[in-house]
Amino acid sequence: MSPDIKHNGKVQVAPLRSMPPIERFTPVTPHLAISPTVSVVVPAMNEAANLPHVFATLPQWIDEIILVDGNSVDDTVAVARRLRPNVKVITQTGKGKGDALGAGFAAASGDIIVMIDADGSTDGHEIISFVGALVTGADFVKGSRYAAGGGSDDLTFGRRLGNRVLTGIVNVMYGTQYTDLCYGYNAFWARHLEALDLDCDGFEVETLLNVRAAKAGLKVHEVPSHERNRIHGESNLRVVRDGMRVLTTILREWRRQPAPPQPKPATAPAADRGVA
């Protein structure tokens, strides 16, 4: 039972919320454990040289790694299975990053879904910041290279300018206060997949997720993230082409009716049961 609470001069005793069984908690540090399960989705095409670095940064306490292979012609799948024998490999049937993430999200079984890149630019050590924000009340957590503590080693002048302009447009049109729009490091509760309703193919996927989270009334929280340079290979991102796709997505979403967010589970709220 909880401590006595005085109300109108009378002592009342309120019952504590029930806690999940101890085996439900996943140790993170000697002083911290989380109860939600965590799936990490990694879209990859010809990233065999980068995966050893990427997987080395992923915390051991995550429950599931889903590699979405975009029909690689190198050893991407073999390397992933050697590094993490329990990795779940999904072969992409369509094309593009958005399509790959959609396939990965559909295959995820965790309560929380985290999306990172396979080129070494996103640091898996930061996942705890995203998960921490979710279990303390957020619905959708987006990484920001412009938040205090964030940064980038890879933003060219053109990408920085385009991102700033597009972020400003979204903030005006949708009443958000985002500092970073086009960044691929995000996490959210899996129960909101219906509201996010991912249905795009390309690099505009990050913008689509951010806009739909706002339209659905989800509680969005930004955490600082530091983007590093791609380790090996070349990016398929094209500033002008993909910038126009992002702008088209922003304008199209203005006319689209949002899907309602899913209610929280009937059990104790995540903020109450998430951290021990």
Side-chain angles (χ1 to χ4, degrees):
M1 304 294 284
S2 69
D4 295 347
I5 302 172
K6 289 187 177 181
H7 180 67
N8 293 332
K10 297 181 179 180
V11 176
Q12 297 179 339
V13 179
L16 288 173
R17 293 186 176 93
S18 60
M19 293 294 289
I22 191 67
E23 61 270 15
R24 174 71 166 135
F25 289 93
T26 302
V28 177
T29 73
H31 309 290
L32 177 69
I34 59 172
S35 64
T37 53
V38 179
S39 297
V40 177
V41 177
V42 189
M45 185 173 68
N46 301 325
E47 301 285 9
N50 294 321
L51 286 184
H53 171 82
V54 174
F55 278 28
T57 70
L58 297 179
Q60 291 297 321
W61 49 262
I62 62 176
D63 300 277
E64 180 179 59
I65 301 173
I66 300 172
L67 180 87
V68 185
D69 177 54
N71 298 285
S72 300
V73 296
D74 66 359
D75 294 330
T76 291
V77 173
V79 169
R81 285 179 169 149
R82 185 179 73 246
L83 294 169
R84 294 289 181 97
N86 62 341
V87 67
K88 182 185 291 186
V89 177
I90 305 296
T91 300
Q92 186 179 357
T93 56
K95 293 183 178 181
K97 184 177 182 180
D99 178 83
L101 285 172
F105 295 167
S109 61
D111 301 316
I112 289 173
I113 298 176
V114 183
M115 49 185 274
I116 68 170
D117 292 332
D119 58 6
S121 62
T122 47
D123 185 357
H125 293 111
E126 296 177 353
I127 288 177
I128 185 59
S129 298
F130 290 79
V131 172
L134 288 169
V135 299
T136 52
D139 295 311
F140 185 97
V141 180
K142 57 193 300 299
S144 173
R145 296 162 291 185
Y146 299 100
S152 176
D153 303 327
D154 190 45
L155 276 175
T156 63
F157 174 79
R159 288 180 61 203
R160 190 182 299 273
L161 177 62
N163 189 27
R164 178 167 296 184
V165 170
L166 293 167
T167 302
I169 292 173
V170 166
N171 286 339
V172 170
M173 292 181 66
Y174 298 97
T176 54
Q177 295 181 332
Y178 296 156
T179 63
D180 198 351
L181 184 69
C182 306
Y183 189 41
Y185 208 164
N186 301 285
F188 53 90
W189 290 101
R191 65 176 180 266
H192 295 310
L193 274 172
E194 185 176 347
L196 298 174
D197 189 24
L198 192 60
D199 58 358
C200 68
D201 297 328
F203 284 102
E204 70 275 13
V205 59
E206 293 101 357
T207 296
L208 183 67
L209 289 170
N210 291 332
V211 168
R212 287 190 177 170
K215 291 179 64 178
L218 301 186
K219 185 176 180 180
V220 180
H221 183 80
E222 286 191 340
V223 295
S225 178
H226 191 98
E227 179 187 36
R228 289 163 174 78
N229 289 313
R230 164 181 277 274
I231 301 174
H232 300 285
E234 295 183 0
S235 172
N236 293 318
L237 178 67
R238 298 295 179 265
V239 174
V240 176
R241 178 200 66 188
D242 293 309
M244 290 304 299
R245 292 186 66 154
V246 169
L247 180 59
T248 300
T249 297
I250 294 170
L251 298 177
R252 185 188 67 232
E253 285 300 301
W254 181 252
R255 298 187 296 270
R256 180 180 180 273
Q257 290 296 317
Q262 293 299 304
K264 291 186 178 182
T267 55
D272 293 328
R273 64 182 175 86
V275 180

